[in-house]
Amino acid sequence: MKKSESERHNHYSGVIYVFLIWFVSRLLIVIAMQFIAPQLALTPANVPPDIYEFKPIPGWELFAHWDGFWYRTIATEGYEFVNDGTGHNVAFFPLYPLLVRIVLAMGLPFAVAGTLVSNIAFLAALWVLYQWVNELHGLQVARWTVASLALAPYSLFCTMTYTEGLFLLCTTASLWSFEQRQYVRAGFWGILATATRLPGIALVPTFLLVAWRENRPKVAYVTGFAVSSGLILFSLYSGQWEVLGGLAG
């Protein structure tokens, strides 16, 4: 069924609104990180030396510190395990570094590629959330919801080379799809969520509980269990590294 002119207008105005909120909020973060933070010379109390010694230098690398180091090694060198008791990168889930690796094929450095993946995923997550809330509660609530999320301080992590933006996209899309009873789509996004971060496994009991309470068909239960596939497959993959590392040790 074709959309009416007013529906098309609302759709395009929604796209523009979400993009502007995303752009303005990301611009504020860039200004704070690239221009303000490097000018500050603070000496916070009770801060470990390895953190205090970090000096922000303007550039793309400001978006790629801390956990970004591990995602960089996975995206550029792959997973590895050394049984030396100091940690290894198989603790980090694969979907985000896999997407970054695809972008790296364009010849971009990791800091640029990772930042692009994170921010594009966050933009897509805002759009999905906007549509969902608009469908349930109307335009004004949808706008305030998206603005609140984009301008929240913790949305900073969705701009870094971390998994937060991608995880937010996958979980939101999966939950919305399940509510719409689009089980294949819900399962697809749910599997991606459990391949992005461990908390994605919380979708499994969520879907099973909703399926039971609302007396949904069997396919809803199948979707709930299928969501765990991302975690199960990565666990099996990680297990082989543990075994190989143990043998090598």
Side-chain angles (χ1 to χ4, degrees), residues 83-105:
N83 192 19
D84 57 2
T86 61
H88 46 84
N89 62 14
V90 294
F92 296 86
F93 281 53
L95 183 60
Y96 176 74
L98 175 61
L99 294 176
V100 174
R101 188 179 184 90
I102 293 173
V103 180
L104 286 174

Side-chain angles (χ1 to χ4, degrees), residues 29-163:
I29 289 174
V30 169
I31 292 173
M33 292 184 61
Q34 300 290 339
F35 299 100
I36 298 177
Q39 304 303 319
L40 299 179
L42 302 179
T43 306
N46 301 319
V47 177
D50 59 331
I51 296 179
Y52 174 64
E53 290 173 1
F54 171 74
K55 301 294 183 181
I57 300 175
W60 283 100
E61 287 298 325
L62 267 184
F63 299 112
H65 286 285
W66 316 123
D67 283 355
F69 165 80
W70 296 105
Y71 290 117
R72 182 196 301 268
T73 61
I74 297 169
T76 58
E77 303 173 14
Y79 282 101
E80 62 181 11
F81 174 77
V82 179
N83 192 19
D84 57 2
T86 61
H88 46 84
N89 62 14
V90 294
F92 296 86
F93 281 53
L95 183 60
Y96 176 74
L98 175 61
L99 294 176
V100 174
R101 188 179 184 90
I102 293 173
V103 180
L104 286 174
M106 300 170 57
L108 299 174
F110 170 81
V112 178
T115 303
L116 286 176
V117 171
S118 296
N119 283 277
I120 291 173
F122 183 55
L123 173 61
L126 291 177
W127 173 239
V128 172
L129 181 64
Y130 175 87
Q131 294 180 88
W132 188 8
V133 177
N134 185 30
E135 180 183 278
L136 294 176
H137 303 290
L139 182 62
Q140 292 302 316
V141 177
R143 287 183 171 180
W144 276 106
T145 301
V146 168
S148 299
L149 177 59
L151 295 171
Y154 283 117
S155 72
L156 163 70
F157 296 108
C158 296
T159 290
M160 312 298 289
T161 57
Y162 301 162
T163 58

Side-chain angles (χ1 to χ4, degrees), residues 171-224:
T171 51
T172 305
S174 183
L175 290 166
W176 184 32
S177 299
F178 194 83
E179 181 182 283
Q180 293 182 312
R181 300 175 188 267
Q182 300 290 331
Y183 297 115
V184 173
R185 193 169 65 187
F188 169 77
W189 285 108
I191 291 171
L192 294 185
T194 58
T196 303
R197 291 181 68 92
L198 180 60
I201 200 64
L203 291 173
V204 175
T206 299
F207 289 166
L208 295 179
L209 179 60
V210 171
W212 172 70
R213 292 188 62 180
E214 298 183 358
N215 195 27
R216 295 201 182 189
K218 294 180 180 179
V219 65
Y221 293 91
V222 174
T223 301

